[in-house]
């Protein structure tokens, strides 16, 4: 297979070479690298180049003059190149608009040839690919996962998949809150109330114990323990002592702690299974033995200082310090995070470290990253990123709550989406008099649609903004929804199914058709897949990919409206377009964690 150059780069290279040829009398050091952007409107062609404006200053000429000379050079260069290499011309048309904008339209034979040899994943390979750690989901033990954890789980999982697709070796890490003062409270409370002998807690007769009920009990106890902790000083002291005992390895307390974690874990894994999330649990407790050595190391490096009894890192750019040890001697969230970061860099070999949490934790991560840099734990080679996100809002535009005014549980929210999609499928079946589905098939299809709808509604919004959660909107067939994408994929696959006796590998040998306007737009959209991936990878913003998939699906539907495939003289050439659409749609949906269905 030939080396795969992505479309935009190939056009850019040609434009750059033409520029250098046209202005060869200028000192070549003076010719900067030019830039291209995708055309914002189809009547502007396929790509736009605005670099004549900046070149005007360098060459001390009028930008329009430069653009005209440059575009002539592009045409000439392209013709010569085509002649010498016996390849087709790249440009169909180059126009100069306004003060010096260059609008480029690519030729159909070039686009078709490019699509014929496209290897989608290979084209998206990241030359910087190495090891990455994505820290996401990260709920807390003895508390239920709520809607706030939804975004972290969904966004983090898609970033893990995205980087994996681009050739990174990626670890998805669940930094579960399984350590700290709250366990002292909880364990002390449980022991003092004599509950440490209860079946649901000990897990005896395991099968008969309802894990959801066990978690419910645990959360109730946690709430009561909190009350005692704040209202009863003596209790608070005992709870703090329990933390120390637990940390120094008291076996009885340790067993109880493990059991508490286990109860929560059962519940979390149910959700991960439903969402098809692959994440490895490495909770806060995992780094426990690394806390003291890391703190000592930071002291030895002269970065940490005692202030009001607490050990802190003061950084010039920040008003507040990063706190390594509280005045009571205890370690905290900050301590664990710096130790974990060091572990990820030194032992896991991470070059890119990504943390997905709500935007409210931005300052914490800014401080963490600055501390790691000041300590020399990371170098220029490392990329540290906090991927923040906004709130999920209810219909009323306020923070999403249940009707009773409580924080919505994640599991209830997903179950509701699945229930609604089941209803929708059944209604649709009777309206188009489809055969009734088997119960298990119906359940699986409803799960796929419901879960994908929830995920896509989240991912298709700019993660930094709040978004309104609406079942009606996310389960609609029209608009930018998972269902619309599924529907487009089902349609494409059914076209291919109708081409009897024609396997996918056979269709792959056909030269793609690229003549009708809607064919050209579809080919162009397909070839821009690597550009969408690169943009999403650089910004860690999955809505970029969602936007791309939506546009691709729209382009495909226009093609479907305008171009007959089955039985047409261009059947094979068009089938190739459909097949490539299927491949790209499927790759994109997989990255976003969507699970398409075979029919709608
Ligand atoms: N457990 C934390 C929370 O619920 C999120 C942890 C995020 N990851 C990290 N390394 N701090 O807010």
């Amino acid at each position: 297979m030939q080396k795969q150059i992505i479309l935009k780069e190939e056009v850019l290279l040609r434009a750059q070479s033409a520029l250098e040829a046209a202005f060869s009398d200028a000192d070549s050091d003076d010719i900067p690298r030019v830039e291209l952007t995708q055309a914002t409107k189809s009547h502007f062609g396929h790509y736009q180049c605005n670099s004549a404006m900046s070149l005007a200053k360098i060459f001390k000429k009028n930008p329009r003059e430069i653009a005209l000379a440059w575009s002539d050079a592009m045409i000439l260069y392209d013709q010569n190149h085509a002649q010498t290499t016996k390849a087709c011309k790249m440009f169909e048309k180059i126009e100069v608009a306004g003060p010096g904008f260059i609008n480029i339209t690519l030729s159909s034979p070039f686009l078709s040839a490019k699509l014929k040899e496209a290897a989608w994943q290979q084209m998206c390979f990241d030359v910087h690919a190495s090891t990455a750690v994505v820290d996401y989901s990260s709920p807390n033990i003895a508390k239920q996962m709520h809607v706030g954890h939804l975004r972290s789980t969904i966004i983090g999982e898609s970033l893990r998949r995205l980087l994996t697709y681009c050739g990174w070796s990626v670890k998805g890490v669940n930094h579960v809150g399984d350590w700290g003062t709250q366990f002292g409270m909880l364990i002390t409370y449980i022991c003092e109330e004599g509950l440490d002998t209860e079946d649901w807690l000990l897990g005896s007769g395991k099968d008969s114990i309802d894990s959801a009920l066990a978690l419910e009990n645990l959360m109730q106890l946690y709430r009561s323990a909190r009350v005692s902790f704040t209202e009863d000083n003596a209790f608070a002291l005992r709870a703090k002592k329990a933390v120390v005992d637990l940390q120094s390895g008291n076996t009885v307390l340790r067993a109880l702690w493990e059991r508490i974690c286990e109860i929560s874990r059962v519940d979390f894994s149910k959700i991960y299974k439903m969402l098809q999330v692959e994440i490895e649990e490495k909770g806060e407790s995992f780094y426990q033995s690394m806390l003291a050595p890391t703190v000592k190391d930071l002291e030895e490096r002269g970065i940490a200082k005692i202030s009001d009894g607490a050990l802190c890192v003061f950084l010039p750019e920040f008003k507040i310090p990063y706190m390594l040890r509280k005045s009571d001697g205890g370690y905290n969230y900050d301590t664990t995070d710096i130790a974990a970061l060091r572990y990820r860099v030194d032992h896991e070999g991470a070059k890119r470290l990504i943390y997905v949490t709500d935007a409210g934790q931005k300052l914490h991560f800014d401080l963490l990253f600055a501390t790691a840099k000041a300590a020399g734990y990371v170098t220029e080679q490392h990329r540290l990123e906090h991927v923040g996100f906004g709130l999920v809002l209810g219909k009323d535009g306020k923070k999403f709550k249940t009707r009773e005014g409580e924080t919505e549980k994640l599991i209830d929210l997903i179950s509701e989406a699945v229930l609604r999609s089941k209803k929708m499928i059944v209604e649709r079946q009777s309206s188009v008099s489809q055969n009734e589905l088997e119960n298990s098939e119906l359940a699986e299809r409803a799960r796929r649609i419901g879960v994908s709808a929830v995920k896509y509604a989240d991912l298709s919004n700019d993660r930094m903004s709040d978004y309104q959660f609406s079942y009606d909107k996310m389960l609609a067939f029209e608009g930018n929804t998972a269902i619309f994408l599924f529907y487009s994929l089902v349609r494409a696959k059914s076209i291919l199914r109708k081409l009897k006796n024609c396997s996918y590998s056979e269709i792959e040998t056909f030269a793609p058709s690229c003549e009708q306007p809607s064919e050209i737009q579809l080919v162009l959209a397909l070839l821009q897949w690597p550009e969408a991936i690169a943009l999403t990878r650089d910004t860690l913003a999955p809505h970029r990919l969602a936007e791309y998939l939506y546009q691709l699906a729209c382009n495909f539907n226009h093609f479907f409206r305008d171009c007959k495939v089955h039985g047409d003289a261009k059947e094979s050439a068009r089938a190739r377009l459909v097949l490539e659409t299927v491949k790209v749609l499927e790759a994109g949906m997989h990255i976003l964690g969507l699970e398409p269905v075979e029919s709608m």
Side-chain angles (χ1 to χ4, degrees):
M1 185 167 316
Q2 261 183 304
K3 188 168 176 289
Q4 297 273 335
I5 307 182
I6 74 174
L7 181 65
K8 186 176 161 187
E9 272 163 27
E10 198 167 343
V11 177
L12 193 62
L13 275 175
R14 188 81 43 109
Q16 183 82 37
S17 306
L19 181 70
E20 280 159 20
F23 294 87
S24 56
D25 49 339
D27 185 351
S28 72
D29 288 350
D30 284 338
I31 301 182
R33 300 215 61 76
V34 294
E35 276 167 27
L36 280 187
T37 52
Q38 292 178 7
T40 46
K41 296 211 169 69
S42 61
H43 62 264
F44 292 152
H46 301 152
Y47 286 95
Q48 283 169 259
C49 174
N50 303 340
S51 296
M53 315 303 160
S54 46
L55 291 172
K57 291 188 198 97
I58 297 169
F59 295 155
K60 300 196 176 51
K61 275 192 180 143
N62 169 316
R64 197 175 158 87
E65 241 174 77
I66 294 177
L68 287 168
W70 184 8
S71 61
D72 285 345
M74 283 204 254
I75 303 254
L76 194 68
Y77 189 90
D78 189 36
Q79 266 167 1
N80 290 341
H81 187 272
Q83 259 166 18
T84 47
T85 59
K86 297 202 166 44
C88 49
K89 282 193 292 183
M90 179 184 283
F91 304 124
E92 168 73 30
K93 192 168 72 182
I94 298 184
E95 282 176 336
V96 175
F101 302 120
I102 300 179
N103 296 335
I104 301 170
T105 303
L106 301 170
S107 83
S108 292
F110 168 75
L111 288 171
S112 170
K114 195 82 193 138
L115 187 70
K116 191 164 191 299
E117 69 189 33
W120 300 119
Q121 189 167 4
Q122 203 183 328
M123 288 162 106
C124 295
F125 183 79
D126 183 357
V127 288
H128 304 291
S130 167
T131 301
V133 168
V134 186
D135 176 322
Y136 65 101
S137 194
S138 308
N140 301 312
I141 298 288
K143 291 187 192 166
Q144 199 137 22
M145 255 192 180
H146 55 72
V147 61
H149 292 112
L150 175 72
R151 302 204 73 183
S152 176
T153 308
I154 293 174
I155 296 169
E157 175 68 12
S158 78
L159 297 179
R160 185 189 70 73
R161 291 176 181 221
L162 172 74
L163 290 177
T164 305
Y165 184 80
C166 298
W168 285 76
S169 151
V170 195
K171 276 197 180 74
V173 175
N174 202 358
H175 192 81
V176 173
D178 63 354
W179 207 239
T181 336
Q182 70 267 36
F183 290 95
M185 287 179 214
L186 190 57
I187 289 173
T188 306
Y189 191 83
I190 287 173
C191 293
E192 292 183 0
E193 295 291 308
L195 299 168
D196 48 343
T197 52
E198 302 255 317
D199 273 359
W200 68 266
L201 190 58
L202 293 176
S204 36
K206 267 192 181 110
D207 295 344
S208 59
I209 293 165
D210 177 346
S211 67
L213 187 69
L215 184 62
E216 200 57 60
N217 289 342
L218 211 54
M219 286 165 59
Q220 194 56 49
L221 292 182
Y222 182 69
R223 282 191 280 268
S224 310
R226 261 212 108 79
V227 173
S228 300
F229 190 82
T230 40
E231 289 178 357
D232 177 353
N233 265 338
F235 178 87
L237 285 175
R238 291 197 297 278
K240 283 182 185 161
K241 180 168 179 304
V243 181
V244 178
D245 289 347
L246 176 67
Q247 298 191 347
S248 46
N250 177 312
T251 47
V252 176
L253 297 188
R254 188 112 198 154
L256 195 52
W257 170 77
E258 255 155 32
R259 187 59 205 140
I260 291 171
C261 291
E262 193 51 40
I263 290 174
S264 300
R265 213 170 271 140
V266 169
D267 207 66
F268 297 158
S269 55
K270 262 195 253 163
I271 293 173
Y272 295 141
K273 186 159 177 254
M274 206 158 175
L275 292 176
Q276 297 277 298
V277 163
E278 272 175 48
I279 191 167
E280 188 191 329
E281 185 183 318
K282 215 173 249 165
E284 294 181 18
S285 62
F286 177 82
Y287 307 96
Q288 206 228 332
S289 64
M290 305 168 208
L291 304 184
T294 301
V295 168
K296 189 162 162 261
D297 184 68
L298 289 165
E299 275 185 296
E300 281 168 7
R301 287 171 192 253
I303 297 174
K305 272 210 293 276
I306 298 281
S307 163
D308 285 335
L311 186 67
C312 300
V313 177
F314 289 92
L315 298 146
E317 325 83 280
F318 296 94
K319 288 203 185 85
I320 60 162
Y322 193 71
M323 197 194 283
L324 298 172
R325 198 174 56 220
K326 293 181 284 181
S327 51
D328 66 6
Y331 296 131
N332 59 11
Y333 191 60
D334 289 11
T335 329
T336 307
D337 258 330
I338 188 74
L341 182 146
R342 204 173 166 215
Y343 179 83
R344 289 168 190 180
V345 171
D346 292 349
H347 295 271
E348 301 186 315
K351 289 283 179 307
R352 199 167 177 178
L353 288 88
I354 295 169
Y355 297 81
V356 189
T357 77
D358 62 292
Q361 294 198 39
K362 181 178 185 304
L363 181 58
H364 164 74
F365 286 102
D366 285 347
L367 280 160
L368 168 68
F369 299 162
T371 302
K373 283 177 195 155
Y377 290 168
V378 289
T379 65
E380 294 283 280
Q381 289 177 23
H382 296 94
R383 201 163 154 180
L384 308 175
E385 289 155 292
H386 174 235
V387 172
F389 51 80
L391 298 173
V392 181
L393 307 175
K395 264 206 195 107
D396 53 0
K398 299 206 185 98
K399 205 170 164 177
F400 199 95
K401 291 264 160 78
T402 61
R403 248 176 265 143
E404 294 73 36
E406 281 179 33
T407 307
E408 181 82 33
K409 289 178 203 145
L410 189 55
I411 192 84
D412 293 348
L413 193 133
I414 301 167
S415 306
E416 176 71 16
V418 172
L419 201 75
R420 289 187 188 222
S421 60
K422 192 169 181 178
K423 229 172 101 194
M424 182 192 77
I425 298 168
V426 172
E427 274 165 18
R428 236 182 116 72
Q429 265 170 5
S430 55
S431 74
V432 294
S433 58
Q434 269 176 2
N435 294 338
E436 260 185 46
L437 290 171
E438 293 267 331
N439 267 343
S440 61
E441 205 181 322
L442 177 64
E444 173 59 6
R445 197 177 287 188
R447 183 194 69 80
R448 284 174 166 255
I449 294 181
V451 167
S452 300
V454 171
K455 285 184 178 176
Y456 191 78
D458 193 293
L459 294 171
S460 56
N461 279 288
D462 182 340
R463 62 177 163 76
M464 285 312 284
S465 17
D466 301 343
Y467 77 93
Q468 222 160 27
F469 192 93
S470 153
Y471 291 112
D472 293 337
K473 234 170 102 188
M474 69 178 71
L475 288 169
F477 271 76
E478 298 296 320
N480 189 5
T481 63
I483 299 190
F484 172 69
L485 295 183
F486 285 5
Y487 193 65
S488 309
L489 182 66
V490 164
R491 188 174 249 180
K493 284 185 147 180
S494 84
I495 296 176
L496 297 179
R497 244 194 321 271
K498 281 196 200 118
L499 303 171
K500 297 220 172 57
N501 309 324
C502 218
S503 67
Y504 279 17
S505 54
E506 197 174 340
I507 299 174
E508 262 173 2
T509 64
F510 303 149
S513 176
C514 187
E515 286 159 11
Q516 300 288 328
S518 49
E519 289 176 333
I520 297 173
Q521 282 308 319
L522 179 58
V523 173
L524 182 71
L526 286 165
L527 289 172
Q528 287 175 337
W529 163 249
E531 290 163 42
I533 289 288
L535 179 64
T536 313
R537 194 174 65 213
D538 291 343
T539 54
L540 298 180
H543 77 281
R544 303 286 190 174
L545 185 57
E547 233 159 57
Y548 168 82
L549 290 176
Y550 175 62
Q551 283 311 325
L552 178 64
C554 289
N555 279 312
F556 171 72
N557 286 308
H558 295 157
F559 159 82
F560 179 81
R561 178 197 62 201
D562 299 342
C563 302
K564 188 169 167 238
V565 181
H566 194 216
D568 192 273
K570 290 173 59 177
E571 179 179 286
S572 309
R574 285 183 175 157
R576 178 71 194 272
L577 282 189
V578 179
L579 176 60
E580 297 310 323
T581 306
V582 166
K583 287 194 221 163
V584 173
L585 278 177
E586 283 184 338
M589 288 185 195
H590 176 76
I591 291 172
L592 296 183
L594 311 183
E595 299 177 80
V597 291
E598 281 306 310
S599 62
M600 295 287 285

